[in-house]
Amino acid sequence: MTTLADGFCFGEGPRWFEGLLWFSDMLGEAVHTVTLQGAMTTLPLAGHAPSGLGFRPDGSLLVVSTENRQVLRYDGETVTTIADLSDCVPANLGDMVVDGIGRAYVGSQAFNGGVIVRIDPDDSPTIVAEDLDFPNGMVITPDGATLIVAESTARRLTAFSIGPDGSLSDRRAFADGLDGPPDGIALDAEGGVWAAMTLAHQFERIIHGGTVTDRIDMGERTAIACTLGGPEGRTLFMLTSADAYPQRLVGTKLSRLDAVMVDVPAAGMP
């Protein structure tokens, strides 16, 4: 395991894009990039608590502003607000996944009664799933047909079928009764889901039905989020923190980004 970066407050939403690992520092009000050699850049986002990230086909970065309940767009020069969801969601926003045509799926993290909102390429929002227990990390399969979401307080991964219009249907369990609340997740080419198991202090690879095939123990550190990337897609990037509850970490710089090689490469979105 290699430590790529530390000295930030609360890392979330890692994404591999164009040779860089991108992630949010939610409490530090910034988005960072890190190279495989550990060189870091920073996009300040004062007044926002960024979380979920995703890239549209034109290369623009979408950023979830959690407490403002907005989605931002960064085109490489300017940050603009493309959607204000304040009037249509029951709780602060969290993670996000963007599909191959630029539709963004954003979770509103109510402990019960959480929703997923789809933001179409024209930036119009639609609620596409309801009654979720703290919807968190999300992935989309390579064929664009299935979305998997981590329901943290329910300790399960839930799958939906994605319709041609981006609607979600056929809700079903992908894995239930997990070892801990799942946070950020990543999908590999064999259909395995890497999940940050916060209170279990582990990253686990889970296959359909709930069997855990691999575990990475983080000791006393809290597993927050992960993604697959790197030149071969076999680098698992892991964000950890000193505590599972962000409010206890305000003003600290105790989060860390580690990387480890795994056997099965990345697949799907992100």
Side-chain angles (χ1 to χ4, degrees):
M1 189 184 309
T2 302
T3 297
L4 290 182
D6 56 16
F8 51 93
C9 194
F10 195 84
E12 264 286 8
R15 298 290 182 258
W16 177 259
F17 183 71
E18 292 189 344
L20 295 170
L21 192 280
W22 301 65
F23 69 94
S24 294
D25 184 352
M26 191 166 68
L27 300 179
E29 298 188 342
V31 170
H32 300 292
T33 71
V34 182
T35 69
L36 291 175
Q37 292 73 42
M40 182 183 290
T41 68
T42 299
L43 170 66
L45 289 172
H48 297 280
S51 183
L53 302 179
F55 291 89
R56 279 184 162 167
D58 64 0
S60 60
L61 171 66
L62 300 187
V63 183
V64 169
S65 178
T66 59
E67 296 173 2
N68 294 340
R69 304 185 184 184
Q70 297 172 340
V71 177
L72 315 176
R73 178 179 178 269
Y74 175 59
D75 63 4
E77 295 182 1
T78 306
V79 177
T80 56
T81 300
I82 65 164
D84 189 330
L85 306 180
S86 304
D87 294 335
C88 66
V89 297
N92 287 349
L93 305 180
D95 219 322
M96 170 173 60
V97 65
V98 181
D99 72 9
I101 65 170
R103 296 181 296 210
Y105 294 83
V106 185
S108 173
Q109 296 179 322
F111 286 93
N112 15 83
V115 304
I116 297 174
V117 181
R118 188 189 73 236
I119 299 173
D120 286 325
D122 65 0
D123 300 334
S124 61
T126 304
I127 293 177
V128 288
E130 298 179 285
D131 298 322
L132 295 160
D133 295 338
F134 207 89
N136 215 322
M138 287 179 279
V139 294
I140 293 173
T141 54
D143 59 6
T146 303
L147 181 146
I148 300 170
V149 58
E151 290 190 76
S152 294
T153 54
R155 298 195 175 199
R156 67 173 167 248
L157 302 177
T158 298
F160 291 90
S161 297
I162 303 174
D165 60 353
S167 59
L168 300 183
S169 63
D170 188 25
R171 178 175 177 170
R172 57 204 183 271
F174 179 90
D176 219 332
L178 303 181
D179 293 334
D183 195 330
I185 61 176
L187 181 69
D188 70 27
E190 294 181 358
V193 174
W194 281 99
M197 308 298 288
T198 54
L199 302 183
H201 303 278
Q202 296 185 88
F203 291 89
E204 297 182 354
R205 182 180 182 271
I206 303 163
I207 60 174
H208 186 265
T211 299
V212 177
T213 65
D214 300 86
R215 287 184 169 90
I216 300 173
D217 186 0
M218 302 307 294
E220 296 182 355
R221 297 192 63 79
T222 300
I224 300 296
C226 59
T227 196
L228 286 162
E232 300 175 358
R234 295 196 303 113
T235 304
L236 181 68
F237 297 96
M238 302 172 291
L239 285 165
T240 61
S241 179
D243 199 297
Y245 300 96
Q247 61 269 28
R248 299 176 183 170
L249 294 168
V250 175
T252 68
K253 292 188 176 181
L254 301 175
S255 286
R256 196 172 78 202
L257 172 67
D258 294 306
V260 66
M261 294 297 289
V262 295
D263 293 331
V264 184
M269 300 286 179

